[in-house]
Amino acid sequence: MYNSQLPTDGSQAPQGVSMSPHASDFGQRGERHANDRIRLLLKSFGLRTSLIRLKVIDALLVAAHSNRRLGVRGVHSQLLDLDVPLSFLSVREVLKRLCAEGVIVFNADKSYSLHPQAAAVLNNE
C-alpha cells in the first residue's frame, strides 16, 4: 500500500520515526488544536481554509503573544524560520486578502494584527 510519508527513493523511514497516522506527541496535538481554532475563525468570516492562511494567522498570533508586531517581511521570515517554503509574494497576497475580509488589520506602522472581532471569535472558542 502507498504511504505518502515514506521516502520515494526506495529507502526506509528513519529510525525512531513513528508511521502512526495519529499524532501521539503533545506538540502536534497542540498545533492541531490551534489550527482548529483558526479554521473556525476563517469559516466565521466565510473563508476557506488553506495551509498558507493557517500559517500566516498562526505567525501573527505567536507574534502578538510575545508583544511583537510583524509586517510582510516579518511574517515571511518567521515562516521561513519554521521551514514553511512560501514566497514573499504569496505571504503578501494572503495578508492583503485577510485584510480585505476583515480578519486582520493593517496598522499605521505597516504591521498586521488580528482584528478585534477576529480575536473575539478566537477567544470565545
Side-chain angles (χ1 to χ4, degrees):
M1 178 177 0
Y2 176 74
N3 187 337
S4 64
Q5 295 177 340
L6 288 175
T8 57
D9 62 0
S11 63
Q12 295 296 320
Q15 293 291 350
V17 175
S18 171
M19 297 310 295
S20 169
H22 304 294
S24 62
D25 73 285
F26 179 73
Q28 287 183 347
R29 280 186 274 147
E31 181 180 335
R32 188 166 288 150
H33 175 68
N35 286 345
D36 288 343
R37 291 176 49 216
I38 296 171
R39 279 187 178 95
L40 287 173
L41 170 69
L42 290 170
K43 186 176 180 179
S44 71
F45 278 85
L47 296 170
R48 285 187 275 168
T49 300
S50 68
L51 180 63
I52 188 169
R53 287 179 181 163
L54 288 172
K55 296 296 182 183
V56 166
I57 292 173
D58 187 53
L60 292 174
L61 290 172
V62 168
H65 185 69
S66 59
N67 293 324
R68 295 183 305 133
R69 288 186 162 192
L70 297 177
V72 179
R73 291 191 192 280
V75 172
H76 182 249
S77 65
Q78 186 169 347
L79 294 175
L80 288 179
D81 289 344
L82 296 172
D83 292 328
V84 179
L86 297 171
S87 72
F88 177 82
L89 294 176
S90 296
V91 172
R92 185 179 69 186
E93 290 303 312
V94 167
L95 288 167
K96 285 171 50 176
R97 175 67 191 266
L98 291 172
C99 270
E101 296 296 329
V103 179
I104 61 175
V105 292
F106 185 63
N107 301 309
D109 62 354
K110 297 186 178 181
S111 67
Y112 293 89
S113 59
L114 211 57
H115 189 280
Q117 182 181 1
V121 170
L122 283 178
N123 291 332
N124 286 338
E125 177 50 33

